[in-house]
Amino acid sequence: MSGFIVRGGPTPEVADLAVRTFADGEVRFASKGRRARVTELVIHETVTRSVESTLSVLRKCGLSVHLVLGPDGQLTQHGDLTSDVLWHAGPVHNGPSFGVEVVNPYYPRLLRKGLPWERTIKAPWAHEGQYVLPTPAQAEAVAALVRWATSAPAPGIEVPRRWPGLRAGSFQFGPVAEAQKPLPGVLAHHYFGHADGAWLVLYAWLRIEAGLAPDVAFEEAVKRTTGVCRADVRDLLPTPATA
């Protein structure tokens, strides 16, 4: 376990996360600006099969991101989480956010023998209607990252434990109208015109808010997103207190 680079210095170790930073020799993307705080965590998926190919694609496309999450749950940090503005989430969200790209082929047609991704589901919400599930190690690392980021862990990290994708007892797998403007909280790239990240946001909610164990949360996320357009979690919401 190790910490992140925030405002130019290291944070304490982060529980349940393995992290390598640009201070350890990882690539650092050039910042597109400066800021004093962040209020959004944006979760992406890559349509690639390795950390190296992800970085190559980002460079080729003129994009950048703060964190990349490999299939084994290892995070590499490529920008200061608070100071560096990187180009991963569009002009509305680049400024107030830091982002994580979760390496995932996404499309079953991109799977190859020997890769660590083993399961696919029928998913009307996914582009082309099928979805390669992240590895359990990736899902658990995302939950740990969300838990850390929403706990006011370091100066300038001010992401509220807020889930804008949760509406009327269901998680949205598609655009969220409020995401047309800055939207503090835990966001999937799916919420503003793409088709990635929402399954992992659901998993993080199941772990953090519903309190499910990792293996139970994974299977619940699978069950609640297969063959449907949104994930119903009404049975897991807290029961309102009675007077």
Side-chain angles (χ1 to χ4, degrees):
M1 295 184 293
S2 59
F4 296 108
I5 304 296
V6 175
R7 287 189 175 176
T11 69
E13 290 185 351
V14 180
D16 302 318
L17 283 178
V19 182
R20 280 182 53 85
T21 76
F22 50 83
D24 302 312
E26 299 295 333
V27 171
R28 183 176 186 178
F29 288 115
S31 178
K32 306 291 186 178
R34 295 189 66 81
R35 73 252 174 122
R37 68 186 187 121
V38 295
T39 58
E40 302 175 2
L41 167 57
V42 181
I43 299 170
H44 306 260
E45 292 167 273
T46 63
V47 195
T48 61
R49 295 182 288 233
S50 70
V51 172
E52 294 75 18
S53 62
T54 298
L55 295 174
S56 178
V57 169
L58 289 170
R59 287 194 199 95
K60 183 177 181 180
C61 295
L63 301 173
S64 51
V65 74
H66 300 84
L67 303 169
V68 177
L69 177 59
D72 61 354
Q74 170 84 47
L75 277 164
T76 54
Q77 183 181 358
H78 304 280
D80 187 301
L81 298 189
T82 299
S83 301
D84 291 347
V85 177
L86 298 183
W87 226 243
H88 63 101
V92 170
H93 296 282
N94 286 331
S97 75
F98 74 90
V100 56
E101 287 278 4
V102 180
V103 178
N104 184 4
Y106 189 96
Y107 299 106
R109 57 184 167 81
L110 296 182
L111 290 175
R112 299 291 184 270
K113 186 177 179 180
L115 292 176
W117 299 274
E118 298 178 344
R119 297 175 64 181
T120 65
I121 61 173
K122 292 183 179 179
W125 46 267
H127 188 236
E128 298 187 3
Q130 290 187 302
Y131 174 66
V132 174
L133 293 168
T135 68
Q138 288 177 312
E140 192 60 13
V142 167
L145 178 63
V146 170
R147 189 179 293 110
W148 176 84
T150 58
S151 63
I157 305 291
E158 301 176 17
V159 180
R161 191 164 291 178
R162 181 170 177 264
W163 310 87
L166 180 58
R167 291 284 188 276
S170 295
F171 269 89
Q172 306 301 302
F173 281 70
V176 170
E178 292 86 350
Q180 295 178 19
K181 298 179 180 180
L183 185 60
V186 182
L187 307 179
H189 201 207
H190 213 147
Y191 299 166
F192 35 99
H194 299 267
D196 57 305
W199 191 94
L200 285 156
V201 171
L202 170 64
Y203 177 89
W205 184 89
L206 291 169
R207 287 286 285 122
I208 296 168
E209 305 292 4
L212 303 183
D215 56 342
V216 176
F218 198 95
E219 295 306 324
E220 285 293 327
V222 170
K223 179 177 72 175
R224 293 167 191 264
T225 57
T226 299
V228 298
C229 293
R230 61 184 63 192
D232 190 336
V233 295
R234 286 174 295 177
D235 59 312
L236 296 175
L237 295 174
T239 302
T242 57

